[in-house]
Amino acid sequence: MSNLVASQIMTHTDVGSRASSIEKWVAVADICRCLNNYNGVLEITSALNRSAIYRLKKTWAKVSKQTKALMDKLQKTVSSEGRFKNLRETLKNCNPPCVPYLGMYLTDLAFIEEGTPNFTEEGLVNFSKMRMISHIIREIRQFQQTPYRIEHQAKVTQYLLDKTLIMDEDTLYDLSLKIEPRLPA
């Protein structure tokens, strides 16, 4: 998804349409937030922070202040700072359906697995560790219990899965340098 967003922005040849594309994707990220799709918010904001996009100073100069402020707000929500403190707080107050950022939970599970022994010093199963793992899995499952009531749009699915629209990282950066060459030092 992040590759698709970055690729779609980079397909625009003029500054104004690239800035409009960024504004459109920030609006999509905000819709994702409204739908409690925090994975989508993170994918889109990550795309906008890729070096190929982020370095386009002339393009970002055309993006409205409101869009930049919204982008900052969205980034703060899904920031990994403080072990995803803001996202955890947001998820606590979130009613399903919800798509949390699974990477946060995978990090938690890896931390528990690496930092907590399977057995106690007495050789017994460490039920404390099992409870911690169970708590994380229960939290993920809680968000899966309520389905979204969104009508399936075949065109949207086809667009999102179309690999021909996606450029690799090197192509994106080369295109970025063509669009806005580095300034001589």
Side-chain angles (χ1 to χ4, degrees):
M1 186 64 196
S2 186
N3 278 347
L4 176 66
V5 172
S7 297
Q8 288 301 294
I9 292 167
M10 295 304 286
T11 59
H12 297 280
T13 53
D14 67 289
V15 176
S17 53
R18 263 192 317 281
S20 293
S21 184
I22 287 172
E23 291 189 344
K24 177 192 80 170
W25 283 111
V26 171
V28 171
D30 195 42
I31 291 167
C32 287
R33 181 194 57 80
C34 293
L35 292 171
N36 298 326
N37 179 353
Y38 297 101
N39 192 70
V41 173
L42 192 108
E43 287 174 327
I44 294 168
T45 57
S46 293
L48 298 172
N49 281 311
R50 284 174 168 222
S51 55
I53 305 294
Y54 187 80
R55 65 173 296 283
L56 299 172
K57 303 293 181 223
K58 292 175 187 169
T59 301
W60 283 101
K62 297 263 185 194
V63 173
S64 73
K65 285 181 181 165
Q66 295 91 331
T67 298
K68 288 177 186 172
L70 177 56
M71 167 100 173
D72 287 343
K73 178 184 163 192
L74 294 170
Q75 284 181 299
K76 281 184 180 122
T77 302
V78 295
S79 168
S80 63
E81 200 173 279
R83 290 185 53 241
F84 293 95
K85 182 180 144 242
N86 294 339
L87 181 56
R88 289 178 197 279
E89 194 59 39
T90 301
L91 290 172
K92 247 188 245 177
N93 301 316
C94 170
N95 291 321
C98 176
V99 182
Y101 172 56
L102 285 178
M104 176 182 74
Y105 294 111
L106 294 175
T107 302
D108 292 347
L109 290 170
F111 184 77
I112 292 167
E113 182 59 35
E114 295 297 317
T116 312
N118 290 329
F119 298 97
T120 65
E121 289 176 9
E122 297 83 28
L124 301 172
V125 173
N126 187 348
F127 280 102
S128 175
K129 177 180 181 176
M130 302 309 148
R131 273 191 291 278
M132 288 188 276
I133 292 170
S134 171
H135 175 74
I136 291 168
I137 293 170
R138 190 176 312 119
E139 195 171 321
I140 295 167
R141 286 182 50 96
Q142 159 200 327
F143 294 125
Q144 295 175 333
Q145 298 305 311
T146 309
Y148 279 98
R149 297 191 197 295
I150 300 173
E151 191 176 314
H152 179 259
Q153 299 290 322
K155 274 179 130 176
V156 174
T157 303
Q158 185 179 348
Y159 170 74
L160 293 174
L161 297 176
D162 187 351
K163 301 251 187 268
T164 64
L165 300 174
I166 297 173
M167 295 178 223
D168 64 55
E169 195 68 37
D170 291 337
T171 306
L172 284 168
Y173 200 78
D174 290 344
L175 192 53
S176 178
L177 289 172
K178 275 186 199 155
I179 290 169
E180 286 187 30
R182 285 190 182 110
L183 297 173

